[in-house]
Amino acid sequence: MRAIHVFSLLILTTADRKLDILNLYKNSFTGDGTYYWNTEGGTCSYPPPELPPVAYHPNITDLVALNSHQFFGSHACGMCFSVNGSGVGLGLNPIIGQHIVFVKDMCPECKKGDVDFSETADGRWNISIRAIQCPVGNTSIEYKFQGSNEYYLKLQVRNARIPATSFEVKLPDMSWSHFNHTMDGFWTVSFPTGVTYPIHLRLTAANGEVIEDTLGTDHIVNEKVIYGDGKQFSVDNSLPT
């Protein structure tokens, strides 16, 4: 009975997160644009120089911390946003025009609609924000293990066009087991009988697209970016790019 209750709660949480993330694409939100200096690392666990490739795309103008209300427990890590500023506000460095930004951190004190730029600058400026599909081009989804072993996986999903709101791994009996999402931008799952190789993964994007990927490794190496079969979520013509 307990297992059924936990599974139902997981499905409910996954459904809620899907709607939360999609809402960021389908609506614009007004708030403040601020600055928190040029810092490395952050809540999303992207230690330099290991930011995902999309963070270095020429269309990405800034790295940001997203407000905690729309960070959704780090599900927004790695998302891209269009930030538009009119230059209205106070300070020395106004935010004007469109900025395409990459989320690498969370701003705990920011309000809904706020974005904190990782720049050495000054001011508080009126902005609007809306999520867009990240300009990943022909690059694939990446992964990284952290603190993992044969019986426990902690795995980061990186460089996705649209964030995954559900992540599963295939067990030895060919059934699928759900990862749990963590506050630092990873996914965790336990293997009572031990991991089998290769590792087969199933990812579901916020818009419902499902892809399967395979890590061809025969052992676990932590803190190293690894690749699957070159999979990536498709461009969704119903969502902004």
Side-chain angles (χ1 to χ4, degrees):
M1 187 68 180
R2 177 176 172 80
I4 295 174
H5 174 72
V6 171
F7 180 74
S8 299
L9 180 61
L10 176 63
I11 295 299
L12 178 61
T13 303
T14 299
D16 288 345
R17 281 292 169 256
K18 172 183 174 181
L19 294 176
D20 288 338
I21 295 297
L22 284 179
N23 191 43
L24 297 177
Y25 290 96
K26 295 183 177 182
N27 296 282
S28 294
F29 303 88
T30 57
D32 294 334
T34 51
Y35 303 98
Y36 72 112
W37 311 109
N38 189 359
T39 61
E40 298 184 346
T43 310
C44 294
S45 306
Y46 298 135
E50 292 188 349
L51 287 167
V54 67
Y56 301 103
H57 191 281
N59 287 354
I60 298 294
T61 60
D62 303 276
L63 305 177
V64 300
L66 185 65
N67 67 84
S68 59
H69 304 278
Q70 294 171 310
F71 194 66
F72 301 130
S74 82
H75 277 277
C77 283
M79 289 185 67
C80 299
F81 281 79
S82 172
V83 178
N84 289 273
S86 62
V88 175
L90 297 172
L92 299 177
N93 305 101
I95 298 173
I96 302 173
Q98 183 186 48
H99 298 250
I100 305 300
V101 305
F102 175 85
V103 177
K104 77 172 187 71
D105 207 347
M106 179 186 72
C107 176
E109 68 274 14
C110 289
K111 305 182 303 298
K112 184 177 180 180
D114 290 357
V115 165
D116 208 9
F117 285 73
S118 180
E119 293 183 19
T120 304
D122 171 74
R124 181 176 296 274
W125 308 94
N126 296 346
I127 60 168
S128 65
I129 67 172
R130 184 173 183 173
I132 63 170
Q133 296 172 79
C134 281
V136 295
N138 60 1
T139 60
S140 63
I141 291 175
E142 301 176 343
Y143 307 90
K144 187 171 75 170
F145 289 110
Q146 182 185 85
S148 298
N149 55 53
E150 298 297 318
Y151 299 94
Y152 168 81
L153 297 184
K154 184 177 182 182
L155 192 60
Q156 187 181 55
V157 178
R158 305 158 47 92
N159 204 56
R161 189 188 311 276
I162 301 169
T165 52
S166 177
F167 191 30
E168 301 164 273
V169 62
K170 186 177 285 188
L171 300 178
D173 65 3
M174 306 306 287
S175 65
W176 292 93
S177 178
H178 283 269
F179 283 85
N180 296 309
H181 201 258
T182 67
M183 290 296 293
D184 60 348
F186 280 77
W187 299 79
T188 62
V189 68
S190 296
F191 278 82
T193 59
V195 177
T196 58
Y197 300 99
I199 300 174
H200 297 283
L201 305 170
R202 185 163 67 185
L203 301 88
T204 304
N207 64 345
E209 181 182 3
V210 178
I211 60 175
E212 293 188 15
D213 209 350
T214 302
L215 302 183
T217 181
D218 60 358
H219 64 289
I220 292 170
V221 178
N222 287 301
E223 303 298 343
K224 180 181 178 181
V225 174
I226 57 176
Y227 304 90
D229 296 330
K231 300 294 180 63
Q232 181 61 260
F233 292 122
S234 306
V235 173
D236 186 335
N237 293 326
S238 71
L239 301 178
T241 59

